[in-house]
């Protein structure tokens, strides 16, 4: 049975690791932290496979775990940032780092990097659905599973997010 688990893990890792890393990196804007979250995501997959859990959709399972880990990271970072802000009040530095263009996936190209940055500027409710749909190519049904909303609600968020993205980029002008 361990051969099956190892083989299954290897196939899923080869297929999804880049997408999970991109997902994490776009959200945390820190390459090392994105790698840590990606590693933890796959460690949880490995544990689930060893425990014999029935995983119906590997991709949705991984994105759900990564999404939750990113949220946990921000919760921890928020409390640390408050302490740091009080200590660094004189410097008045922003605690939010913008992703380095070179660090973003090179296959996106200049326009893709621009759009990913604009997606990060969307209302928080629309950021993940738009990213998952257009960068990762996921279906509204899978997005709904990841975000724990209905497929219809995911579609609505995608469409509204797309409208907001068009406004921010100027693509809605006639």
């Amino acid at each position: 049975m361990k051969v099956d688990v190892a083989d299954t893990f290897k196939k899923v890792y080869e297929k999804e690791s880049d997408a999970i890393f991109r997902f994490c990196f776009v959200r945390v804007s820190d390459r090392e932290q994105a790698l840590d979250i990606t590693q933890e995501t796959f460690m949880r997959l490995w544990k689930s496979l060893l425990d014999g859990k029935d995983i119906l959709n590997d991709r949705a399972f991984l994105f759900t775990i990564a999404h939750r880990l990113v949220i946990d990271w921000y919760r921890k970072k928020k409390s640390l940032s408050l302490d740091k802000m009080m200590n660094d009040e004189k410097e008045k530095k922003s605690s939010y780092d913008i992703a380095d263009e070179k660090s973003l996936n090179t296959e996106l190209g200049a326009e893709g990097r621009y759009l990913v940055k604009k997606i990060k500027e969307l209302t928080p409710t629309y950021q993940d659905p738009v990213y998952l749909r257009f960068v990762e190519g996921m279906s509204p049904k899978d997005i709904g599973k990841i975000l724990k909303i209905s497929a219809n609600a995911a579609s609505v968020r995608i469409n509204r997010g797309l409208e907001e993205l068009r406004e921010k980029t100027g693509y809605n002008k006639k």
Side-chain angles (χ1 to χ4, degrees):
M1 183 169 175
K2 286 186 179 182
V3 173
D4 293 335
V5 169
D7 189 45
T8 300
F9 179 83
K10 183 179 177 184
K11 287 178 183 174
V12 172
Y13 182 82
E14 288 173 354
K15 183 179 175 190
E16 302 295 345
S17 61
D18 289 340
I20 296 298
F21 172 75
R22 278 192 312 267
F23 177 81
C24 296
F25 183 71
V26 166
R27 273 141 196 81
V28 301
S29 301
D30 179 329
R31 186 177 190 285
E32 294 304 315
Q33 188 60 47
L35 286 170
D36 287 346
I37 293 171
T38 302
Q39 180 179 359
E40 179 63 23
T41 299
F42 281 97
M43 290 296 293
R44 291 188 184 189
L45 171 66
W46 178 256
K47 186 175 180 337
S48 295
L49 291 172
L50 285 178
D51 291 345
K53 293 185 180 174
D54 189 25
I55 300 172
L56 301 176
N57 185 334
D58 298 327
R59 187 172 174 96
F61 179 80
L62 290 169
F63 274 98
T64 300
I65 292 171
H67 177 73
R68 290 177 183 164
L69 289 171
V70 167
I71 289 171
D72 290 346
W73 179 78
Y74 269 107
R75 286 179 182 151
K76 289 176 189 173
K77 182 180 178 185
K78 189 175 184 179
S79 64
L80 293 174
S81 292
L82 289 175
D83 292 337
K84 185 177 180 185
M85 277 181 18
M86 292 175 75
N87 292 335
D88 295 342
E89 190 175 276
K90 293 177 185 175
E91 294 180 29
K92 299 203 178 206
K93 286 187 176 178
S94 172
S95 62
Y96 180 75
D97 297 327
I98 297 175
D100 180 15
E101 273 190 29
K102 292 179 184 176
S103 300
L104 285 173
N105 193 337
T106 55
E107 68 192 41
L108 290 177
E111 188 174 74
R113 288 188 299 270
Y114 171 75
L115 289 173
V116 168
K117 285 182 181 180
K118 289 298 182 185
I119 288 172
K120 290 173 76 173
E121 295 175 10
L122 294 176
T123 305
T125 305
Y126 306 140
Q127 288 177 8
D128 286 340
V130 170
Y131 176 86
L132 291 170
R133 179 71 182 119
F134 296 106
V135 177
E136 298 302 333
M138 298 182 82
S139 70
K141 182 179 177 183
D142 288 341
I143 294 168
K145 286 179 186 176
I146 292 168
L147 301 177
K148 296 192 182 273
I149 57 176
S150 68
N152 189 38
S155 291
V156 169
R157 289 183 185 184
I158 291 166
N159 287 328
R160 290 181 182 166
L162 201 53
E163 288 174 18
E164 188 176 320
L165 185 61
R166 285 184 184 125
E167 288 176 22
K168 288 188 178 296
T169 59
Y171 286 115
N172 64 342
K173 296 178 182 176
K174 293 181 180 178

